[in-house]
Amino acid sequence: MNTLAKVPVTVVTGFLGSGKTTLIQHLIANANGKKLAVLVNEFGSEGVDGDILKSCADANCPAENIVELANGCICCTVADDFIPAMEQLLSRRVRPDHILIETSGLALPKPLLKAFDWPEIRSRITVDGVIALADAEAVAAGRFAPNPAAIEAQRAADENIDHETPLSEVFEDQIACADIVLLTKADLAGAAGLEAARAAISAEMPRRVPMLAIVDGAVDSRIILGLEAAAEDDLAARPSHHDGEDDHEHDDFASVVIDLPEVADIDALVATIQRLARERNVLRAKGYIAVAGKPMRLLLQAVGERVRHQYDTPWGARPRQSKLVLIGEQGDIDESALRAELGV
């Protein structure tokens, strides 16, 4: 590889639980001979996605090439976290052919693209493309996209209402920055749901970009890697709600990490998480659970009331400790109330 060439970087963005980690797992397993490195960002203090990806490490993407940044959105910690992490990956004895960045589900991609102009890295890397993932079933149901009819009804009732919500701003900024949109969980959405999701997303796009429906992260890497978009030089075509602002914050969202004892009844835990989504507006839940009598840890992930879980690896020498990360809008994350609901 020509060491003077810039290393291409693909930014994978998308709302909470849209399937970013699953996509990167697939890319690692189907690298077509490319040496990959991954930078994964978590919003909360307790990382889960990094552990998932490290369990998929192989010769083309060894564990030391998977770097995790937790406790903050990458777009807000450029100088302290992002630049040093990129320098770390670029200094590897065997330089990666391609770097994948999995942003937090709450990250705004455009501030991250601006960081590629920092002197420390701008001559060494380029943004090959921004891939935005959208949960097709959720978008079709209107959970992560504005509802024009409802907005018009509210405006008619009170013209002073601010109709923009934090969730829709994040969603729209991610879509507006994309070079390709992947409609995930297409099997759950069905044909009608996919059509509705495409229409909702198209309405938010400042320019036409390809949209592709996928299931379980399965997409040919040749479609999404090698776009040569040089997105850091194309910022004007990627509008953001925060254009013109010197800074932005994520105070609209909060996360809490809750330690749980060993769980005897998985179904009861799932029912509790579904109730937290329904009654306390918890947007996302994820973590590793110790199940009584089971030598393997249970990986649990939830988007709203949709909960998935599977045994992923033996606990081995790790402490058998259950940790659950809950994410929601600031006013909905009441740690004491959530602990009470979970019985801890």
Side-chain angles (χ1 to χ4, degrees):
M1 180 176 177
N2 181 356
T3 57
L4 296 179
K6 291 185 177 183
V7 176
V9 178
T10 294
V11 176
V12 179
T13 186
F15 205 77
L16 298 159
S18 58
K20 299 183 295 296
T21 303
T22 302
L23 171 68
I24 293 179
Q25 282 180 290
H26 178 81
L27 293 175
I28 291 174
N30 299 273
N32 295 323
K34 287 185 177 181
K35 295 179 177 63
L36 300 179
V38 180
L39 181 61
V40 57
N41 179 221
E42 293 270 28
F43 179 69
S45 60
E46 193 70 28
V48 173
D49 296 341
D51 281 349
I52 296 173
L53 293 175
K54 285 179 181 178
S55 71
C56 303
D58 59 20
N60 286 320
C61 188
E64 60 266 25
N65 276 18
I66 301 174
V67 176
E68 184 175 15
L69 301 179
N71 204 24
C73 271
I74 195 172
C75 57
C76 301
T77 58
V78 168
D80 294 335
D81 295 325
F82 173 65
I83 299 300
M86 293 303 293
E87 290 182 309
Q88 177 184 344
L89 292 175
L90 292 169
S91 68
R92 293 282 188 254
R93 183 179 60 82
V94 178
R95 195 171 75 153
D97 298 324
H98 205 112
I99 298 174
L100 307 173
I101 297 179
E102 178 188 339
T103 70
S104 154
L106 301 176
L108 304 174
K110 191 166 182 178
L112 178 59
L113 297 190
K114 292 179 180 178
F116 281 75
D117 196 41
W118 278 54
E120 293 91 337
I121 60 172
R122 65 186 177 192
S123 65
R124 303 160 69 190
I125 58 177
T126 181
V127 183
D128 180 69
V130 178
I131 312 302
L133 276 61
D135 182 323
E137 184 193 35
V139 173
R143 291 200 293 272
F144 301 132
N147 184 327
I151 289 174
E152 287 302 322
Q154 290 176 342
R155 182 180 291 118
D158 184 351
E159 63 181 13
N160 295 316
I161 289 178
D162 178 4
H163 304 302
E164 199 64 55
T165 69
L167 295 183
S168 65
E169 283 194 11
V170 173
F171 178 80
E172 290 162 17
D173 272 27
Q174 291 171 348
I175 293 298
C177 206
D179 294 292
I180 291 180
V181 174
L182 298 182
L183 299 170
T184 62
K185 308 189 176 115
D187 53 332
L188 300 179
L194 283 172
E195 183 177 353
R198 288 180 189 275
I201 291 170
S202 294
E204 303 301 335
M205 283 182 170
R207 66 196 193 288
R208 289 181 61 86
V209 303
M211 276 191 277
L212 180 66
I214 66 171
V215 175
D216 293 332
V219 61
D220 192 323
S221 63
R222 294 172 297 180
I223 296 175
I224 61 175
L225 304 184
L227 299 179
E228 300 182 357
E232 71 274 21
D233 297 326
D234 186 35
L235 296 179
R238 304 164 192 267
S240 164
H241 286 281
H242 299 272
D243 283 339
E245 297 179 10
D246 293 330
D247 199 3
H248 67 276
E249 299 181 2
H250 292 283
D251 291 343
D252 297 314
F253 302 97
S255 69
V256 62
V257 180
I258 297 179
D259 293 334
L260 300 174
E262 283 199 353
V263 173
D265 188 340
I266 298 172
D267 291 340
L269 176 61
V270 168
T272 299
I273 291 172
Q274 290 173 328
R275 187 172 67 251
L276 293 179
R278 185 170 58 250
E279 298 177 2
R280 296 196 174 274
N281 299 319
V282 170
L283 301 173
R284 184 85 162 98
K286 55 184 175 179
Y288 291 111
I289 307 299
V291 180
K294 300 293 185 180
M296 300 186 74
R297 65 183 185 179
L298 185 77
L299 169 62
L300 184 147
Q301 302 201 65
V303 181
E305 292 187 57
R306 191 172 65 225
V307 183
R308 292 185 175 184
H309 54 79
Q310 65 187 64
Y311 291 102
D312 74 329
T313 188
W315 283 101
R318 304 180 188 92
R320 286 179 60 91
Q321 185 175 20
S322 302
K323 286 185 178 293
L324 191 63
V325 182
L326 303 175
I327 303 172
E329 293 192 66
Q330 187 71 249
D332 295 327
I333 298 299
D334 180 334
E335 182 170 354
S336 60
L338 294 174
R339 287 184 177 280
E341 294 271 10
L342 288 163
V344 294

